[in-house]
Amino acid sequence: MGPRSTETNKLEEWSEYFRVVGSPIRLLIILALYGSEVLRRTPHSLTFSEIQSISSVPSNETLVYHLKQLENVNFITKEAHKDERTGRVYPLYHISDQGKRFLTDLGLVDILKESLAKLEIS
């Protein structure tokens, strides 16, 4: 298969990405994860509860669905974290390198950084 097959595969891949971020909730989630890193100037993660608060998704099941969609295209990653004090294990969510590349390719990183810079000044 020649270049046409490669182009078709790339189009299908990007089409899937746009389908996933076509949801305002999912776009908000990856922007919030990336924005938390920008604000802290270091890799950062958010808990399920923090994402739920930011996204205003009332149902745990609905938020789990949206997070799974983002995980399926490797825009976010999830890792288990154990609270040393309580022993409770809970997931932490991060934006992945692929998620960052997607936001960068769309020009959303620059817009987000400008918006956050304005908030820091205010």
Side-chain angles (χ1 to χ4, degrees), residues 1-8:
M1 304 214 180
R4 180 154 234 170
S5 177
T6 302
E7 291 170 5
T8 301

PDB file of all heavy atoms in Angstrom, residues 1-8:
ATOM      1  N   MET A   1       0.841  -1.180   0.000  1.00  0.00           N
ATOM      2  CA  MET A   1       0.000   0.000   0.000  1.00  0.00           C
ATOM      3  C   MET A   1       0.883   1.238   0.000  1.00  0.00           C
ATOM      4  O   MET A   1       1.870   1.289   0.715  1.00  0.00           O
ATOM      5  CB  MET A   1      -0.901  -0.007   1.210  1.00  0.00           C
ATOM      6  CG  MET A   1      -1.732  -1.241   1.328  1.00  0.00           C
ATOM      7  SD  MET A   1      -3.307  -0.840   2.042  1.00  0.00           S
ATOM      8  CE  MET A   1      -4.018  -2.431   2.050  1.00  0.00           C
ATOM      9  N   GLY A   2       0.514   2.219  -0.778  1.00  0.00           N
ATOM     10  CA  GLY A   2       1.337   3.397  -0.960  1.00  0.00           C
ATOM     11  C   GLY A   2       0.971   4.532  -0.024  1.00  0.00           C
ATOM     12  O   GLY A   2       0.314   4.357   0.994  1.00  0.00           O
ATOM     13  N   PRO A   3       1.377   5.732  -0.419  1.00  0.00           N
ATOM     14  CA  PRO A   3       1.142   6.929   0.393  1.00  0.00           C
ATOM     15  C   PRO A   3      -0.331   7.201   0.648  1.00  0.00           C
ATOM     16  O   PRO A   3      -0.707   7.728   1.668  1.00  0.00           O
ATOM     17  CB  PRO A   3       1.774   8.058  -0.421  1.00  0.00           C
ATOM     18  CG  PRO A   3       2.599   7.414  -1.481  1.00  0.00           C
ATOM     19  CD  PRO A   3       2.150   5.997  -1.605  1.00  0.00           C
ATOM     20  N   ARG A   4      -1.161   6.826  -0.299  1.00  0.00           N
ATOM     21  CA  ARG A   4      -2.594   7.080  -0.135  1.00  0.00           C
ATOM     22  C   ARG A   4      -3.135   6.362   1.105  1.00  0.00           C
ATOM     23  O   ARG A   4      -3.938   6.899   1.851  1.00  0.00           O
ATOM     24  CB  ARG A   4      -3.337   6.633  -1.375  1.00  0.00           C
ATOM     25  CG  ARG A   4      -4.815   6.878  -1.251  1.00  0.00           C
ATOM     26  CD  ARG A   4      -5.415   7.026  -2.572  1.00  0.00           C
ATOM     27  NE  ARG A   4      -6.105   8.287  -2.479  1.00  0.00           N
ATOM     28  CZ  ARG A   4      -6.632   8.921  -3.462  1.00  0.00           C
ATOM     29  NH1 ARG A   4      -6.522   8.466  -4.651  1.00  0.00           N
ATOM     30  NH2 ARG A   4      -7.280  10.039  -3.285  1.00  0.00           N
ATOM     31  N   SER A   5      -2.680   5.148   1.353  1.00  0.00           N
ATOM     32  CA  SER A   5      -3.099   4.390   2.528  1.00  0.00           C
ATOM     33  C   SER A   5      -2.652   5.089   3.815  1.00  0.00           C
ATOM     34  O   SER A   5      -3.408   5.169   4.775  1.00  0.00           O
ATOM     35  CB  SER A   5      -2.512   2.977   2.464  1.00  0.00           C
ATOM     36  OG  SER A   5      -2.847   2.273   3.626  1.00  0.00           O
ATOM     37  N   THR A   6      -1.436   5.612   3.816  1.00  0.00           N
ATOM     38  CA  THR A   6      -0.926   6.340   4.979  1.00  0.00           C
ATOM     39  C   THR A   6      -1.761   7.592   5.233  1.00  0.00           C
ATOM     40  O   THR A   6      -2.110   7.891   6.370  1.00  0.00           O
ATOM     41  CB  THR A   6       0.554   6.723   4.759  1.00  0.00           C
ATOM     42  OG1 THR A   6       1.297   5.537   4.525  1.00  0.00           O
ATOM     43  CG2 THR A   6       1.119   7.442   5.963  1.00  0.00           C
ATOM     44  N   GLU A   7      -2.082   8.308   4.163  1.00  0.00           N
ATOM     45  CA  GLU A   7      -2.903   9.508   4.296  1.00  0.00           C
ATOM     46  C   GLU A   7      -4.289   9.165   4.832  1.00  0.00           C
ATOM     47  O   GLU A   7      -4.827   9.871   5.683  1.00  0.00           O
ATOM     48  CB  GLU A   7      -3.022  10.229   2.954  1.00  0.00           C
ATOM     49  CG  GLU A   7      -1.730  10.855   2.493  1.00  0.00           C
ATOM     50  CD  GLU A   7      -1.794  11.362   1.067  1.00  0.00           C
ATOM     51  OE1 GLU A   7      -2.877  11.323   0.456  1.00  0.00           O
ATOM     52  OE2 GLU A   7      -0.743  11.781   0.565  1.00  0.00           O
ATOM     53  N   THR A   8      -4.860   8.081   4.335  1.00  0.00           N
ATOM     54  CA  THR A   8      -6.179   7.650   4.795  1.00  0.00           C
ATOM     55  C   THR A   8      -6.132   7.299   6.278  1.00  0.00           C
ATOM     56  O   THR A   8      -7.015   7.685   7.043  1.00  0.00           O
ATOM     57  CB  THR A   8      -6.675   6.447   3.970  1.00  0.00           C
ATOM     58  OG1 THR A   8      -6.734   6.837   2.594  1.00  0.00           O
ATOM     59  CG2 THR A   8      -8.040   5.996   4.432  1.00  0.00           C
TER      60      THR A   8
END
